[in-house]
Amino acid sequence: MKSDEIRSRFLKFFSARGGSALGGEGHKIIPSASLVPGDPSVLFTTAGMQQFKPYYTNPGNADKDFGSRNIVTVQKCIRTGDIDEVGDATHLTFFEMLGNFSFGGYGRREAITYAYDFITKELGLKISYVTVYKGEGVVPKDEESKNIWKELDSDLEIREDGKDVFWGPTGDSGPCGPTTEIYCKNADGQDVEIWNIVFNEYFCEGSREKLDRGEANLKKLDILGIDTGMGLERLLATVQNKKSVYETDVFNNEKTKDERIIADHIKASLFIIADGVEPSNTGRGYVLRRLIRRAVRFSKEPLTGQIKKIKKVYNGMYALDDKGEIEREENKFRETLERGMKEFEKGIDPFVLATTYGFPIELTLELSKEKNIKVDLEDFNKKMAEHQKLSQTASAGMFKGGLTDAGEETTRLHTATHLLNAALRLVLGNHVTQKGSNITKERLRFDFTHPQKMTEEEKKRVEEIVNDKIAEELPVGFVEMPKIEAEKIAVHSFNEKYGDIVKVYSIGDEKTGYFSKEFCGGPHVSNTSELGKFKILKEEAVAQGVRRIKAVLI
Ligand code: SER
């Protein structure tokens, strides 16, 4: 059975079910949402439920918006959390999720029965085992699901599990609840998670990280929500009896890990571009850039061949025209790679390669291995540690300036510093990075990388932008997120060791676009309207390639 057929059988199966016998409506087919979600607290659509998040708390709106409480979709998804595992049999950064959803239309019995029937009867697969939630804290053990599974198949193995079978929320708050997962064996005899059936019974007022740390409350929702997700590629591998997702008809039988990484990353890039994202140094654009660059690193051949193959796979299903974007990014990065390679060949120290040429140590190690050169990793690590210690000292100094005295004036200047940083990057370019900052009650001082003196026009332009942003009365807020996520969306000035969870301060909102996103401890004003008028007093050199601005708020 090919991917086309699976997609349409899934949609048909659910649009025919949920009728009167089960006390609900048939499932309404809704198209995939964009990979760029409406929810500002997540970068990409990572699950089918993303576009339906609000309906779990306001189920009545589903009647208005869809004419139904029961929905079925095939959703495009991006997940970069498992990027290091891409290339194995089951992990991907782009995948399609088959899902059925209900906002109070039906409950556990129907959701589990539909899944059981689709897997065993419609597709004729054998379930290896299922999991149910064992209960923790305020959430009780899911006895009901366990009993339903037993009734459906008394021989079925049912495993009880904890955190792993409690799902969500996505982003900084949202619906969540216990799940029951279905596992099937692939052609290698490995158990693969095929379907995740979430019972959204709670609303979490905080992120998943907070929930896991015991810092977020769970509030019972008015209705029991259903949110299920089945990875199309994994399902295909099982149905088509293949050892990996790459042997199914949504890939081209890539064999080596490198080939698989390239195929996955270029596929993800094409889909992200198709939803309107361009490579850049922040947010989604940065994730896209990293995916393309990573593909380039693994590919000796130009990426055009790969792009053509992927377009062919999805021909007639999804429009994937990147208008040459991937090739442009590829060409730029191959130049950087080439320059770095020259230095590498000269035998330049891996530490200098990494810090001056942006050449990742993994790449130095890979290349060295090919050429039978030994790398003194211990020496590299030692130098990196010293480097980081220096940066830490520098940043401690910076925070001292801004944070020990958190009076009103310094708080306002602190927010102005973020505006200045973003405005400099706009006017001078993305090479601008913060080298230091010192704030007194009277003025801010900001050091940044830039090769030459700023012109009068440039200074004026920067002042104008900052003052415009003040006039726009933009909200200032922060979210806490894992550092690895934060690095993808925010600028940060130092190589220092942040904790695993960091604060990202943003200025602006989703509607008009965020003007600034920075790692920062705070504090900040809550709206730029509190700042007054911004004025640059002085712009001067402090070191080779480092400039200093002194500015005030009047
Ligand atoms: N939201 C759940 C998941 O992503 C089920 O769709 O697995």
Side-chain angles (χ1 to χ4, degrees):
M1 211 183 292
K2 290 267 206 278
S3 52
D4 282 356
E5 194 179 337
I6 296 265
R7 286 190 200 93
S8 57
R9 276 172 83 154
F10 183 79
L11 295 174
K12 220 168 121 198
F13 180 92
F14 279 96
S15 62
R17 278 165 184 78
S20 55
L22 285 159
E25 306 147 345
H27 288 69
K28 178 102 187 259
I29 301 173
I30 301 288
S32 171
S34 164
L35 284 170
V36 176
D39 177 356
S41 63
V42 290
L43 268 190
F44 288 106
T45 297
T46 59
M49 67 81 72
Q50 187 71 51
Q51 66 167 322
F52 303 118
K53 244 175 115 170
Y55 298 100
Y56 292 98
T57 29
N58 290 304
N61 287 349
D63 302 325
K64 271 188 264 159
D65 296 351
F66 310 118
S68 173
R69 295 259 173 129
N70 306 334
I71 305 282
V72 60
T73 65
V74 177
Q75 175 65 51
K76 304 177 277 185
C77 296
I78 291 282
R79 286 189 189 176
T80 50
D82 293 332
I83 195 162
D84 291 330
E85 268 141 290
V86 170
D88 71 0
T90 55
H91 287 92
L92 297 166
T93 60
F94 171 86
F95 63 98
E96 288 173 82
M97 189 184 274
L98 310 172
N100 55 294
F101 310 90
S102 183
F103 320 111
Y106 56 86
R108 279 178 163 78
R109 176 164 300 277
E110 294 86 347
I112 294 175
T113 309
Y114 294 149
Y116 179 78
D117 285 352
F118 187 76
I119 291 285
T120 62
K121 297 180 185 158
E122 181 83 13
L123 300 181
L125 297 174
K126 189 172 158 23
I127 298 177
S128 179
Y129 67 90
V130 298
T131 59
V132 297
Y133 189 57
K134 70 175 182 195
E136 265 170 0
V138 296
V139 187
K141 179 172 166 177
D142 192 356
E143 283 292 352
E144 195 185 339
S145 295
K146 196 170 171 180
N147 290 333
I148 296 166
W149 281 120
K150 269 194 211 151
E151 274 175 45
L152 285 170
D153 183 348
S154 54
D155 293 334
L156 191 63
E157 185 189 342
I158 303 172
R159 299 188 188 177
E160 291 180 12
D161 206 342
K163 268 194 180 58
D164 277 356
V165 292
F166 188 94
W167 193 88
T170 64
D172 55 14
S173 64
C176 57
T179 85
T180 177
E181 303 162 319
I182 300 175
Y183 284 75
C184 291
K185 284 201 189 309
N186 71 6
D188 252 351
Q190 281 171 329
D191 290 318
V192 178
E193 182 197 331
I194 296 286
W195 206 337
N196 185 16
I197 301 162
V198 184
F199 306 112
N200 278 327
E201 291 173 291
Y202 299 92
F203 188 90
C204 178
E205 284 162 336
S207 63
R208 176 58 188 248
E209 290 71 28
K210 279 198 173 160
L211 181 65
D212 286 344
R213 292 202 305 265
E215 293 165 14
N217 280 333
L218 291 180
K219 256 190 7 209
K220 198 100 170 122
L221 285 168
D222 293 342
I223 52 140
L224 163 65
I226 301 295
D227 155 28
T228 92
M230 174 155 58
L232 173 69
E233 294 75 2
R234 288 183 181 185
L235 178 67
L236 281 175
T238 309
V239 172
Q240 296 174 3
N241 199 28
K242 304 290 189 197
K243 292 185 177 173
S244 85
V245 291
Y246 299 93
E247 293 155 61
T248 70
D249 70 301
V250 290
F251 279 96
N252 290 288
N253 210 1
E254 288 79 9
K255 294 259 189 306
T256 67
K257 185 159 184 186
D258 287 8
E259 285 168 1
R260 291 174 169 191
I261 291 172
I262 299 161
D264 168 82
H265 288 11
I266 292 306
K267 185 192 277 198
S269 301
L270 280 168
F271 274 92
I272 292 173
I273 293 169
D275 279 340
V277 179
E278 286 172 10
S280 75
N281 280 338
T282 52
R284 299 180 187 100
Y286 186 54
V287 175
L288 172 61
R289 173 160 279 168
R290 292 222 316 208
L291 284 167
I292 300 173
R293 288 184 168 185
R294 199 154 183 267
V296 172
R297 261 183 59 193
F298 286 98
S299 177
K300 301 214 165 49
E301 305 292 320
L303 295 172
T304 27
Q306 191 58 244
I307 295 171
K308 277 203 194 106
K309 278 197 210 166
I310 295 164
K311 283 187 184 164
K312 203 164 151 212
V313 164
Y314 292 100
N315 191 19
M317 185 72 210
Y318 296 101
L320 297 176
D321 184 5
D322 73 320
K323 303 201 169 68
E325 199 72 75
I326 294 179
E327 264 182 275
R328 275 195 293 281
E329 185 68 21
E330 174 183 11
N331 293 340
K332 267 197 278 176
F333 186 58
R334 285 211 193 271
E335 270 173 38
T336 314
L337 260 184
E338 212 178 296
R339 263 202 310 273
M341 282 294 284
K342 279 205 194 105
E343 301 306 315
F344 171 82
E345 263 148 29
K346 284 188 211 152
I348 298 267
D349 188 297
F351 169 74
V352 179
L353 271 178
T355 49
T356 313
Y357 296 89
F359 220 61
I361 184 71
E362 301 80 40
L363 190 53
T364 304
L365 289 173
E366 268 172 35
L367 292 166
S368 305
K369 205 168 153 200
E370 274 171 29
K371 296 193 187 315
N372 260 326
I373 305 168
K374 259 190 130 162
V375 176
D376 188 345
L377 200 55
E378 217 171 283
D379 178 65
F380 173 84
N381 287 335
K382 216 177 88 203
K383 284 179 181 157
M384 265 330 242
E386 274 163 23
H387 183 69
Q388 271 161 5
K389 221 159 75 199
L390 276 179
S391 312
Q392 258 174 21
T393 320
S395 76
M398 162 199 157
F399 282 129
K400 237 199 207 148
L403 296 181
T404 49
D405 175 8
E408 234 178 76
E409 292 306 314
T410 49
T411 304
R412 288 166 64 230
L413 285 162
H414 194 180
T415 307
T417 306
H418 281 218
L419 289 177
L420 171 63
N421 190 351
L424 285 169
R425 289 167 70 89
L426 270 184
V427 174
L428 305 177
N430 283 338
H431 60 273
V432 169
T433 31
Q434 177 172 341
K435 279 287 167 197
S437 162
N438 173 282
I439 297 170
T440 69
K441 279 203 186 78
E442 285 77 33
R443 56 113 186 97
L444 66 84
R445 193 180 81 197
F446 186 71
D447 297 346
F448 60 96
T449 48
H450 184 55
Q452 74 256 4
K453 192 172 167 57
M454 282 174 75
T455 65
E456 284 307 314
E457 291 80 72
E458 284 168 344
K459 280 193 273 183
K460 218 174 119 219
R461 188 79 199 102
V462 167
E463 267 181 2
E464 268 169 20
I465 292 175
V466 173
N467 282 316
D468 282 347
K469 296 298 152 188
I470 294 173
E472 283 170 27
E473 304 187 352
L474 300 174
V476 182
F478 72 86
V479 286
E480 284 184 305
M481 57 172 86
K483 189 176 66 182
I484 45 166
E485 287 302 313
E487 277 171 340
K488 296 173 196 161
I489 62 157
V491 296
H492 55 105
S493 32
F494 296 101
N495 230 343
E496 71 185 296
K497 276 206 170 69
Y498 288 88
D500 284 344
I501 303 290
V502 298
K503 270 188 189 171
V504 172
Y505 266 91
S506 59
I507 304 179
D509 57 27
E510 182 68 9
K511 236 181 32 232
T512 45
Y514 290 101
F515 178 63
S516 148
K517 276 191 184 178
E518 259 190 62
F519 277 42
C520 182
H524 284 278
V525 299
S526 54
N527 192 291
T528 57
S529 61
E530 294 165 47
L531 298 187
K533 192 163 187 277
F534 175 80
K535 190 165 171 40
I536 294 178
L537 295 181
K538 201 169 186 181
E539 191 269 346
E540 60 187 333
V542 266
Q544 176 86 34
V546 181
R547 312 289 305 176
R548 168 171 291 176
I549 280 181
K550 284 187 183 158
V552 288
L553 288 169
I554 44 177

